[in-house]
Amino acid sequence: MTTPFPFTAVVGQDDLRLALLLNAVSPAVGGVLVRGEKGTAKSTAVRALSALLPAVAVVPGCRFSCDPASPDPECPDGPHEAGGGTERAARMVELPVGASEDRLVGALDIERALAEGVKAFEPGLLADAHRGILYVDEVNLLHDHLVDLLLDAAAMGASYVEREGVSVRHAAKFLLVGTMNPEEGELRPQLLDRFGLTVEVAASREPDQRVEVVRRRLAYDDDPAAFAAKWAQEEAAVRQRIVAARELLPQVRLGDGALRQIAATCAAFEVDGMRADIVMARTATALAAWAGRTDVLAEDVRQAALLALPHRRRRNPFDAPGLDEDKLDETLEQYSGDDGDDEPDPDGPGGGGQPAPDSGPQGDGGEAARPEAGEGGQPQASGAGEQSAARATEPFRTKALTVPGVGEGAAGRRSRARTEHGRTTGARRPRGALTKLHLAATVQAAAPHQRARGRSGPGLVVRRDDLRQATREGREGNLVLFVVDASGSMAARQRMSAVKGAVLSLLLDAYQRRDKVGLVTFRGTSADVALPPTSSVDAAAARLESLPTGGRTPLAAGLLKAHEVLRVERLRDPARRPLVVVVTDGRATGGPEPVALAGRAARLLAAEQVASVVVDCESGPVRLGLAGRLAGELGGTAVTLDELRADSIAGLVKGIQSRRAA
C-alpha cells in the first residue's frame, strides 16, 4: 500500500487544511470544495487527511459499514444485532470523473434477477464511502446528474436506488471533498451552494516557501516511509486533537449573539436561501471545538463566513468568488456584544490554538473582478486605426440556439442527443454491460423461445441474448465557437460594447447549457484563436473583455481559422457537435477579392454540415444586408442584435432546420 504524504507536512495552504479539519471534526458542516490552479497540493492534502481520521467500528461482513453500536435498521445486509464488531481504518473513496450512475449508487444485478429470480443488489461507491471520505477530483467535469445524486446523498445521509421494481435504501454519511481547476469550467451556482465550505488555493509567490515545498516533495519521493516516519509525531498530535474536538463538539454553546451575527452577515452579503446560515452555524461550532472552547466567539463567526460565504455570493459565472472583509468586520461589530460574546478581531482569526491562515479563502485575487479595459495585461492601442478595448454592456437572457438532428455527445442542455438519461425511445442489444433494461423488449425477445427452452411452469426463461438495452433521448452540450469581427468597421465604441454584451449573453447561455466554448477573432490582416475550445466560459469572457478593435476586415481568415479549430477539435472529441456563431456586419476588406474569398470559406463550412448563426451587427439607416448573404453561404441563419433580445430568436432553430431539410 502506498504511503500517503503526511497532512502536517503540507507547506502553507492554511485555509485548505483548516477547512478539511473542520469537516473531520463535524461532517455535518457539509464538505469542502477546493478551487485552485493545478499543482497546488489540492489532491495531496485531501488524500493525506484520510490517515488522520480515527478508526471506525463496523459490523463484520456488512457491505454498508454499519456501526455495531447502532446498526442501520434498514441496512440491505441486515438486520444486525447491536454489540460486537471490528475496527478498521476510515476509508477514502475516489469517484472517477467518468464513473457511471450504477458505479456511484449501486445497481441491481438484472441478469440474476431475470434468470434466477434473485434480487441481488451490488453496492456502489456511496456505500463504500459511508463513515469515511468521498473524494471527487475535477468535480466540475463530473456529469450534472451524478453531481445531483452525490450531493443529495450527502445532504440526506442516505442513498436511495429505485429501478426495475427494486427499492434499496442504505446509509451514506461521508465527508465530501471536491477539487477543481476553475480554468476548466465552473460548477452551477445551485451545486456550489450544496458544498458547505469553499477554499481558494494558489501557489505561494514566496521563494523560501516554494523551496521548502520542493525539498519536502523530493524527500518524500526518495523514501515515502522514512519521510512519513519523520512526521509521525505531528500526525499523531493532530489525530488526537480531532478526537478531542469531536468529543467536545456536543458541549459547544452557540449563543443568541453569535446566531444574530451569523444571520446579519448572511443578510448583509445577500446570499440566497438559508443554507448559508446553517452552514455558518455548524462551522463556527466546529471552530470552537477545534480551538478547545465550549463557547462560540465572534472570531469563529468571522472565520466561518470567510469559508462558507464566498461561493454563495456568485450571481453568474463571470463573478469571481470572494468576500469584502471590511464589510464583514463592520457587520460583526454592529451586531457584537448581544450576549457577552467577544468583539470581532479585525486582524483575523487564529485564537485558541487553531491554524491561522495567511489570507482569506479567496487567496491571491479572490476579490478580483473582471479586468477593466486596459488592465490585466491586455493589449493596449498600439497602432494607427486600433482602439483600446470597449466595455461590454450588461448581459441579457437569450433563447436557445440548437444544433439540428440527434447527436451522441456529452450530457448537457442544448441539443437533442441519445444519452443514458432522458425519455425512453426504443431498445437495442447491449454493447458491453447492461445498464438500462428495456423490460418489454426483453420479454418480447424471450417469448418465442419458451417452448424450445423447456418452460413448463409460470415465469419466463430468459437468457443473456434476450436482454435489451433501453435507448434514451436527452440533451447534449455542444461546442459553441464564436467568430468575432474586431475590425475597424466594428470599432464604434458604443456599437462594440453592444456586440460584446450580446456575446457575453450567449456565453452565459453556454455556461448554463454545459457547452464548451471557443473564441476566434479577426482584424487587420489575420485571424487569431483568442481562446481554444474550453469548458471555462469565464476565461472566454475575460478574453472578450480585453479585445481591442481596428484595422481591415479579413472575414475569410476568420472563417478559415474557425474551420481549422473545428477540424482539430473533431479529432479530440468527435462526438461533440459544433455550433458556429459569427458576429460581424458582413463586410470583407483587405487582400485580393476579399468578398469572393469569404464566400468560398463560408461554403467550406457549409459543406461539412456545420450549424451556424450570423449575428448581424450592421447599424444605421442604410443597410447592405451583407451578414444575411454570409448566413446564406454558411447555410445558417442571420439575426440582428435587436432580434437577439426578442422572441423572434426562437425562429432561428426552425430556420436552421428548414435549410438543412432543403
Side-chain angles (χ1 to χ4, degrees):
M1 181 176 178
T2 304
T3 303
F5 192 92
F7 186 84
T8 52
V10 174
V11 179
Q13 308 298 9
D14 296 316
D15 288 339
L16 170 58
R17 290 189 294 157
L18 178 59
L20 291 172
L21 289 169
L22 292 177
N23 275 271
V25 171
S26 175
V29 166
V32 186
L33 175 64
V34 187
R35 298 164 42 93
E37 59 198 27
K38 53 188 176 292
T40 50
K42 300 189 298 293
S43 300
T44 299
V46 175
R47 293 189 174 98
L49 178 68
S50 61
L52 296 180
L53 297 182
V56 294
V58 297
V59 174
C62 178
R63 297 174 297 167
F64 301 88
S65 301
C66 279
D67 185 349
S70 56
D72 182 3
E74 299 182 61
C75 176
D77 283 356
H80 305 299
E81 293 184 4
T86 60
E87 281 197 348
R88 63 162 174 78
R91 293 173 180 160
M92 191 194 77
V93 177
E94 294 194 42
L95 173 63
V97 169
S100 66
E101 180 180 337
D102 289 343
R103 184 71 185 99
L104 177 63
V105 302
L108 172 71
D109 190 330
I110 298 173
E111 294 182 35
R112 289 189 63 191
L114 289 175
E116 304 174 24
V118 177
K119 292 184 178 180
F121 178 73
E122 290 298 325
L125 294 176
L126 291 179
D128 293 342
H130 180 46
R131 305 175 69 198
I133 300 174
L134 183 60
Y135 173 47
V136 189
D137 193 15
E138 307 295 352
V139 65
N140 51 324
L141 303 183
L142 197 66
H143 286 173
D144 282 353
H145 70 280
L146 292 182
V147 177
D148 289 334
L149 289 170
L150 179 64
L151 295 177
D152 283 344
M156 295 185 294
S159 175
Y160 295 83
V161 182
E162 305 274 354
R163 60 182 63 179
E164 285 81 40
V166 174
S167 176
V168 176
R169 176 261 178 211
H170 65 83
K173 297 180 180 179
F174 47 81
L175 195 169
L176 176 63
V177 183
T179 58
M180 59 175 282
N181 184 347
E183 294 179 356
E184 297 172 342
E186 286 286 356
L187 279 173
R188 303 197 317 269
Q190 297 92 328
L191 300 181
L192 281 172
D193 184 56
R194 299 292 290 274
F195 281 93
L197 310 180
T198 187
V199 178
E200 294 281 332
V201 297
S204 173
R205 301 299 185 255
E206 292 293 331
D208 290 343
Q209 196 170 67
R210 296 175 75 97
V211 167
E212 187 61 24
V213 169
V214 175
R215 181 181 290 118
R216 293 186 187 183
R217 186 69 209 190
L218 292 178
Y220 171 77
D221 291 341
D222 288 342
D223 192 342
F227 186 81
K230 179 181 176 181
W231 291 88
Q233 186 173 352
E234 288 83 352
E235 293 282 285
V238 173
R239 190 179 300 111
Q240 293 171 3
R241 189 173 174 187
I242 291 174
V243 173
R246 284 185 173 184
E247 294 174 351
L248 183 62
L249 187 65
Q251 304 172 38
V252 175
R253 172 180 171 271
L254 182 64
D256 289 343
L259 273 174
R260 285 184 62 80
Q261 286 184 318
I262 290 170
T265 300
C266 292
F269 286 100
E270 300 179 350
V271 296
D272 295 331
M274 295 298 297
R275 185 175 284 117
D277 304 63
I278 296 170
V279 170
M280 274 190 66
R282 289 172 173 165
T283 305
T285 303
L287 279 162
W290 177 247
R293 290 185 268 99
T294 56
D295 286 308
V296 173
L297 306 181
E299 63 192 44
D300 300 322
V301 176
R302 185 183 193 278
Q303 181 64 63
L306 292 173
L307 293 172
L309 295 188
H311 61 301
R312 293 185 165 88
R313 296 190 59 246
R314 303 188 74 193
R315 291 296 182 264
N316 65 62
F318 312 132
D319 293 338
L323 213 62
D324 184 341
E325 295 193 37
D326 291 337
K327 181 177 179 180
L328 173 61
D329 289 334
E330 291 174 4
T331 304
L332 293 177
E333 185 173 358
Q334 180 180 355
Y335 287 88
S336 66
D338 285 5
D339 68 6
D341 288 350
D342 286 1
E343 293 295 322
D345 179 4
D347 296 326
Q354 71 189 54
D358 294 328
S359 61
Q362 65 271 15
D364 296 334
E367 295 182 35
R370 291 185 314 225
E372 297 288 334
E375 295 178 354
Q378 71 184 48
Q380 300 291 325
S382 59
E386 182 174 323
Q387 298 184 13
S388 60
R391 292 291 303 273
T393 59
E394 286 298 314
F396 52 86
R397 183 175 297 277
T398 68
K399 297 292 181 65
L401 307 177
T402 64
V403 177
V406 181
E408 295 183 345
R413 291 183 173 81
R414 184 172 295 277
S415 305
R416 293 172 56 201
R418 288 177 286 272
T419 63
E420 289 295 317
H421 299 271
R423 62 186 181 90
T424 300
T425 58
R428 60 171 173 80
R429 291 182 181 273
R431 305 186 190 107
L434 180 69
T435 56
K436 301 291 181 183
L437 177 72
H438 195 296
L439 185 58
T442 298
V443 172
Q444 188 175 12
H449 308 291
Q450 297 305 295
R451 181 176 297 178
R453 293 174 182 174
R455 172 185 163 190
S456 58
L460 195 67
V461 179
V462 179
R463 295 179 179 172
R464 182 174 180 80
D465 289 344
D466 301 326
L467 300 178
R468 294 295 182 268
Q469 174 85 21
T471 57
R472 299 188 175 190
E473 183 175 301
R475 293 280 170 177
E476 67 177 359
N478 298 113
L479 166 60
V480 181
L481 181 62
F482 293 93
V483 184
V484 180
D485 185 349
S487 65
S489 65
M490 303 278 289
R493 183 163 293 274
Q494 184 175 1
R495 183 181 178 192
M496 196 60 194
S497 293
V499 168
K500 286 187 176 182
V503 177
L504 201 61
S505 303
L506 292 169
L507 280 171
L508 181 59
D509 181 70
Y511 164 78
Q512 294 167 339
R513 298 182 187 280
R514 311 302 286 171
D515 295 315
K516 292 180 71 174
V517 297
L519 178 62
V520 171
T521 64
F522 58 94
R523 66 187 183 95
T525 59
S526 63
D528 297 306
V529 181
L531 184 71
T534 175
S535 296
S536 179
V537 296
D538 48 350
R543 300 292 174 87
L544 178 72
E545 190 78 14
S546 63
L547 179 66
T549 58
R552 293 183 177 275
T553 312
L555 178 57
L559 297 176
L560 291 173
K561 183 65 71 174
H563 179 270
E564 176 64 17
V565 170
L566 295 180
R567 183 187 69 80
V568 173
E569 193 64 18
R570 195 176 295 117
L571 297 174
R572 294 174 177 168
D573 191 358
R576 190 179 291 269
R577 297 186 295 161
L579 173 64
V580 174
V581 179
V582 185
V583 184
T584 181
D585 56 11
R587 289 180 171 83
T589 60
E593 300 183 343
V595 176
L597 187 59
R600 288 197 293 272
R603 289 191 292 275
L604 180 63
L605 287 169
E608 297 187 1
Q609 299 291 301
V610 176
S612 60
V613 174
V614 178
V615 179
D616 184 359
C617 302
E618 192 174 28
S619 60
V622 179
R623 302 191 179 217
L624 302 179
L626 298 176
R629 295 180 197 173
L630 175 63
E633 298 278 9
L634 286 166
T637 303
V639 56
T640 66
L641 285 174
D642 292 337
E643 291 170 339
L644 198 59
R645 295 174 176 269
D647 292 340
S648 58
I649 194 174
L652 286 174
V653 178
K654 295 180 181 178
I656 293 175
Q657 292 173 335
S658 63
R659 289 175 184 272
R660 289 285 180 265

